[in-house]
Amino acid sequence: MEDIEDLVGLGVEVEVPRHRNSVMPRVRRRRKVAAAKEVKEEEDEVGCTDTCDSIVPGTQRVYIKTWGCAHNSSDGEYMAGQLAAYGYRIVEDKGAADLWLLNSCTVKNPAEDHFRNEIKSGRKAGKKVVVAGCVPQGAPKSEFLEGLSVIGVQQIDRVVEVVEETLKGNSVRLLGQKKEAGKKIGGASLLLPKVRRNPLIEIISVNTGCLNQCTYCKTKHARGELGSYSIEEVVSRAKQSFSEGVCEVWLTSEDTGAYGRDIGVTLPQLLWRLVEVIPEGCRLRLGMTNPPYILDHLKEIAEIMQHPRVYAFLHVPVQSGSDGVLGEMRREYTVKDFSTVVDFLKDSVPGITIATDIICGFPTETDEDFEGTLQLCSKYKFPSLFINQFYPRPGTPAAKMKRIPTKEVKNRTRRLTELFQSYRPYDHKLGERQTVLVLVPKKEDFLGKLVDVEIVETGKHYMKGRPIDTSPPLPPSSAEPLAKGVVSGLKGPGDSYHTKQDLLNQERYIILSFVLLISALLVKLAWVCFKMLKDF
């Protein structure tokens, strides 16, 4: 997936009761290193620094940028929602922001380079910077992160605290895992407020981490071992989303197929429960799953994907067409296993789309190994094929292996790309009639509705459909969607989301904010009186 630029640029101003956790983080004073290498501690301040326009907490401007996968995108939406609900203004113009919140991806070198450069840009512009995502979680001692506040991937529910402390000049690092009874769980609550990038699409992370130990993967260092949310939590979030006008739900994680293995449930059990709550006209899309875990549930997955409210689409990354390379990658399946998955689903689910990933130039890949990859891709002619060059990620076993010359890696990437471009996967659809769910604002009358179309043009990566005049657009049976920028998940005091402790925390913080404001005014008044007396 390409970088997700400017996750939220909405200019949101929300007046709601403020909600925050009762546990305050430990903070460290930032230090300034002078030219002579002397270290001087910053002075304590009440309220905010000189970059803020108010001393009242929760009124400053925050710019948010996210790189990476759908899981990261969902995390960014949750952080934006909590900040907006608390009163912060989420802005598109980073130059006008008081603080930058940068949510990173560690899968590839370029994404991390962009993240590093954005930190440098923020510091140069004199902005307060908070970092989140997989880069600081996986390598928190990196030199370029020194002195910055960090929000761990399982600590996104504490973003308000971290932002507040950072605006005061403090450095906060929250990198711990969330556990229950000593066992890792999925992470922050799925019922937190969020600002959806697209009000019609809800991204639900059903679990975090994975069960694999792939030798090239840096994400494992950040997301860790598998931690699944309960079926009830996921279903509750889906129901809430549909009640707010969402038309499409994406299930995502580092490995959706492994869902539930740590808590004694299965992915099909979750999917059957979700199918029950999907309103007429709405859709469910299943996220990436690795071959080992879907093999156990092929029949049920095929049945679920034939349901009219579930997309017949599955992303199953193979990475290589060579068993030898897969072994060196520690992928825990063979080419035959992968083919079994693809063949069964193609035979069982009419019109299913299978997407996959390939890594070109893994250190142990021979010419013969690569030919196996070409043969596999030629056999299945995947409509979606994500082609990646091998990147040696620091701290991974593969980074220590002797690399294939860059020229050869590029040559293999080019050859696979040429193969992918040599076929057209959608030409057989020309002239068909399809019912599509419109999620992009090409025509407002169609947005969020089911539209019958005739396929009138096909290309390598697309199909074009003409609306059929005799079939008017049908709205889903869910509620009206939230306006763009409106915070999702806000509920009244009578709702279970706001516990008694939540309300108590709100009252305490409102009182604290008022006390801080009055104190600052009294200090200012005392200073003015002192100067007047001195002058007199």
Side-chain angles (χ1 to χ4, degrees):
M1 181 179 287
E2 297 297 325
D3 293 348
I4 299 175
E5 301 292 343
D6 301 332
L7 172 64
V8 182
L10 307 165
V12 179
E13 292 189 48
V14 185
E15 294 184 5
V16 295
R18 291 175 176 165
H19 168 77
R20 68 181 283 132
N21 295 315
S22 58
V23 180
M24 293 296 292
R26 289 177 296 177
V27 301
R28 296 183 300 183
R29 283 286 150 201
R30 287 185 181 165
R31 297 177 179 271
K32 294 180 178 178
V33 182
K37 303 299 181 182
E38 293 179 348
V39 179
K40 179 182 179 182
E41 191 170 6
E42 289 188 337
E43 295 180 358
D44 290 337
E45 294 181 334
V46 177
C48 63
T49 64
D50 57 3
T51 61
C52 302
D53 59 1
S54 171
I55 62 171
V56 180
T59 60
Q60 294 81 33
R61 298 173 295 270
V62 179
Y63 166 73
I64 302 177
K65 185 168 185 174
T66 290
W67 293 264
C69 65
H71 194 164
N72 252 28
S73 181
S74 178
D75 287 351
E77 290 177 347
Y78 274 124
M79 289 190 285
Q82 292 171 86
L83 291 169
Y86 194 74
Y88 287 100
R89 284 168 283 173
I90 311 302
V91 298
E92 191 173 45
D93 181 3
K94 60 185 179 182
D98 301 299
L99 180 142
W100 291 7
L101 173 55
L102 306 178
N103 189 20
S104 61
C105 171
T106 193
V107 172
K108 301 179 186 178
N109 295 37
E112 185 166 329
D113 291 342
H114 293 160
F115 172 62
R116 186 186 294 109
N117 290 337
E118 197 75 351
I119 290 174
K120 187 183 299 183
S121 176
R123 282 174 152 163
K124 185 176 180 181
K127 305 296 182 181
K128 301 291 187 182
V129 177
V130 173
V131 294
C134 291
V135 172
Q137 182 76 52
K141 295 182 180 179
S142 299
E143 186 177 350
F144 68 94
L145 299 175
E146 186 176 349
L148 296 179
S149 289
V150 176
I151 302 172
V153 294
Q154 286 205 309
Q155 299 293 329
I156 60 172
D157 54 338
R158 301 181 67 180
V159 62
V160 171
E161 298 170 41
V162 176
V163 165
E164 285 190 16
E165 293 299 332
T166 303
L167 286 167
K168 295 175 186 175
N170 300 327
S171 175
V172 185
R173 294 199 161 202
L174 300 177
L175 293 165
Q177 291 187 347
K178 293 191 181 299
K179 297 183 178 181
E180 288 182 359
K183 189 174 183 180
K184 180 184 177 184
I185 60 174
S189 169
L190 293 179
L191 295 179
L192 289 170
K194 72 157 50 175
V195 175
R196 298 187 183 97
R197 191 164 179 249
N198 184 330
L200 299 176
I201 298 175
E202 170 69 14
I203 306 172
I204 303 178
S205 302
V206 297
N207 54 268
T208 189
C210 67
L211 295 173
N212 294 347
Q213 300 290 338
C214 300
T215 55
Y216 57 83
C217 181
K218 183 72 173 177
T219 305
K220 177 77 173 190
H221 295 186
R223 298 284 183 177
E225 294 298 324
L226 182 67
S228 301
Y229 288 97
S230 70
I231 290 177
E232 288 70 25
E233 288 177 283
V234 177
V235 172
S236 293
R237 182 69 203 189
K239 290 171 68 175
Q240 181 195 76
S241 303
F242 291 129
S243 74
E244 294 172 339
V246 162
C247 300
E248 185 170 299
V249 166
W250 299 359
L251 301 186
T252 186
S253 74
E254 285 65 59
D255 188 351
T256 308
Y259 169 79
R261 288 178 175 250
D262 56 323
I263 58 174
V265 297
T266 68
L267 178 61
Q269 287 176 323
L270 171 65
L271 296 178
W272 286 125
R273 287 283 304 277
L274 285 169
V275 164
E276 294 174 359
V277 302
I278 303 174
E280 183 69 34
C282 296
R283 297 291 185 267
L284 175 70
R285 192 184 85 163
L286 185 59
M288 185 275 288
T289 177
N290 284 312
Y293 307 113
I294 194 174
L295 273 168
D296 295 339
H297 309 295
L298 272 179
K299 185 178 179 181
E300 279 195 279
I301 293 294
E303 291 174 359
I304 290 165
M305 288 198 161
Q306 294 178 65
H307 194 283
R309 298 175 197 173
V310 179
Y311 286 121
F313 170 87
L314 194 62
H315 179 191
V316 189
V318 66
Q319 305 300 4
S320 174
S322 162
D323 286 345
V325 173
L326 292 176
E328 293 288 347
M329 291 177 171
R330 295 185 194 161
R331 291 290 289 170
E332 300 182 4
Y333 58 86
T334 64
V335 176
K336 183 179 179 181
D337 292 334
F338 174 80
S339 296
T340 297
V341 171
V342 177
D343 292 339
F344 186 90
L345 292 176
K346 288 173 73 70
D347 290 342
S348 305
V349 185
I352 190 171
T353 296
I354 303 289
T356 197
D357 299 0
I358 297 291
I359 295 176
C360 292
F362 187 79
T364 64
E365 183 183 69
T366 65
D367 290 339
E368 184 180 0
D369 292 329
F370 181 66
E371 289 299 323
T373 297
L374 289 175
Q375 292 172 15
L376 185 71
C377 294
S378 179
K379 174 184 177 181
Y380 290 113
K381 293 183 169 56
F382 301 103
S384 295
L385 180 62
F386 303 100
I387 303 170
N388 305 287
Q389 295 182 33
F390 169 75
Y391 288 100
R393 303 300 293 127
T396 63
K400 301 176 182 178
M401 299 178 182
K402 183 179 179 180
R403 295 182 63 184
I404 296 173
T406 302
K407 184 177 180 180
E408 179 58 27
V409 175
K410 289 183 177 180
N411 178 56
R412 292 177 186 178
T413 305
R414 176 186 57 77
R415 290 179 62 194
L416 184 56
T417 302
E418 288 174 353
L419 170 62
F420 176 60
Q421 296 294 337
S422 69
Y423 57 86
R424 294 164 59 96
Y426 305 116
D427 284 355
H428 67 286
K429 297 285 188 180
L430 191 64
E432 285 189 5
R433 290 193 171 193
Q434 302 276 357
T435 300
V436 299
L437 177 59
V438 180
L439 298 173
V440 291
K442 180 71 173 178
K443 187 174 181 180
E444 291 296 329
D445 291 345
F446 290 170
L447 192 60
K449 296 182 175 65
L450 293 172
V451 180
D452 289 335
V453 302
E454 179 184 0
I455 306 301
V456 296
E457 182 182 338
T458 61
K460 171 62 183 175
H461 304 287
Y462 68 89
M463 291 180 282
K464 288 186 179 180
R466 179 187 297 122
I468 298 172
D469 295 335
T470 56
S471 301
L474 295 176
S477 58
S478 58
E480 284 293 315
L482 299 177
K484 190 173 179 64
V486 172
V487 180
S488 157
L490 293 180
K491 304 190 176 187
D495 196 283
S496 60
Y497 178 71
H498 286 285
T499 64
K500 292 181 179 180
Q501 183 62 48
D502 294 334
L503 296 174
L504 181 60
N505 291 338
Q506 290 173 9
E507 293 173 2
R508 286 174 176 171
Y509 210 75
I510 291 172
I511 294 171
L512 176 60
S513 299
F514 182 75
V515 170
L516 287 173
L517 177 60
I518 296 301
S519 299
L521 291 174
L522 290 174
V523 169
K524 183 71 173 179
L525 179 61
W527 176 252
V528 171
C529 292
F530 173 76
K531 291 205 60 168
M532 291 177 63
L533 289 172
K534 185 178 180 181
D535 293 340
F536 179 76

